[in-house]
Amino acid sequence: MDIVAKLEASMHLPKPVRIHWTGCPNSCGQAQVADIGLMGGPAKLNGKAVEGVKIFLGGKIGENPDLANEIEAGVPCHEDHLLPKLQGLLIEHFGATPLEAATQ
């Protein structure tokens, strides 16, 4: 996926982050148990319907599982909207740093 490649190319993560993506209404991609979950849904961009996602944060698996909380809905999948949202979440919640800042 282009978004993931751009995240990896632009961010340093101190530990792995599980990002799950699903477009299935049955949540086959298990977005609710991911560190960051993306579930396909409607969005608007410039007043027009576009592909979008709901964003979930904080899902856990293992010994103390927990479902993620939906933090935002209707985020356009367009790179100009989704990429900065994901970069912000990675910085704020997972200690990521932009690569140019990580090498200084």
Side-chain angles (χ1 to χ4, degrees), residues 35-77:
D35 295 321
I36 299 173
L38 304 168
M39 181 181 286
K44 289 202 174 193
L45 183 58
N46 300 324
K48 295 182 181 183
V50 296
E51 292 180 349
V53 292
K54 293 179 183 178
I55 300 177
F56 294 84
L57 184 66
K60 296 179 181 143
I61 57 173
E63 207 170 300
N64 298 305
D66 198 10
L67 293 177
N69 294 309
E70 182 181 324
I71 61 166
E72 193 166 354
V75 177
C77 286

Side-chain angles (χ1 to χ4, degrees), residues 7-89:
L7 287 172
E8 289 175 342
S10 66
M11 308 292 294
H12 167 73
L13 291 162
K15 63 179 185 174
V17 175
R18 294 174 302 109
I19 300 176
H20 294 201
W21 184 291
T22 186
C24 174
N26 296 320
S27 193
C28 294
Q30 302 177 343
Q32 295 92 340
V33 295
D35 295 321
I36 299 173
L38 304 168
M39 181 181 286
K44 289 202 174 193
L45 183 58
N46 300 324
K48 295 182 181 183
V50 296
E51 292 180 349
V53 292
K54 293 179 183 178
I55 300 177
F56 294 84
L57 184 66
K60 296 179 181 143
I61 57 173
E63 207 170 300
N64 298 305
D66 198 10
L67 293 177
N69 294 309
E70 182 181 324
I71 61 166
E72 193 166 354
V75 177
C77 286
H78 192 275
E79 183 179 296
D80 292 344
H81 294 272
L82 187 55
L83 187 61
K85 292 256 184 218
L86 294 175
Q87 289 170 326
L89 290 174

